[in-house]
Amino acid sequence: VQLQASGGGLVQPGGSLRLSCAASGFTLNYHAMGWFRQAPGKEREEVSCISKYTGDIYYAESVKGRFTISRDNVKNTVYLQMNNLRPEDTAVYYCARKGGHYCSESGPFDYFGQGTLVTVSS
């Protein structure tokens, strides 16, 4: 299993970035997929999750209305569109695979990618 995140960078407050997660070594459409982030000195937190069926989606309260998760099972890629970015969104962002099909399941995320750094600063 490999998860390769990309698309991070430096952006001004109010700007946008689109993160991509290229998945390989497994069948993407069997799994729910998520994005996590970890800011310096803070715990890793779940930002968003998308089930194998795109109708079941989770967002952390802090990103609702600004971030949009999506998936392309043909391209084996998961995306995180981030709009109206704030300095507090600065973190390393990781994509992750959930063992099960649905975000609402209680099972863990079993694989994490290497992360991509997002810095929001003027």
Side-chain angles (χ1 to χ4, degrees), residues 23-111:
S24 61
F26 67 100
T27 304
L28 181 66
N29 64 4
Y30 287 178
H31 296 270
M33 298 293 295
W35 285 95
F36 288 72
R37 67 185 181 187
Q38 187 165 21
K42 294 189 176 181
E43 297 283 323
R44 185 171 62 189
E45 64 168 334
E46 184 179 357
V47 174
S48 185
C49 178
I50 184 167
S51 298
K52 63 173 289 185
Y53 300 115
T54 57
D56 180 19
I57 291 177
Y58 161 82
Y59 294 104
E61 284 296 323
S62 57
V63 307
K64 274 184 181 177
R66 301 188 297 123
F67 290 11
T68 303
I69 192 170
S70 61
R71 62 192 295 159
D72 185 331
N73 291 330
V74 174
K75 294 183 178 180
N76 289 331
T77 303
V78 182
Y79 303 97
L80 186 68
Q81 177 67 43
M82 306 186 296
N83 298 329
N84 191 20
L85 283 160
R86 305 167 179 169
E88 55 264 37
D89 295 318
T90 295
V92 177
Y93 284 71
Y94 302 88
C95 65
R97 187 189 84 166
K98 191 152 187 161
H101 299 319
Y102 301 105
C103 299
S104 54
E105 293 179 0
S106 60
F109 286 84
D110 55 3
Y111 287 93

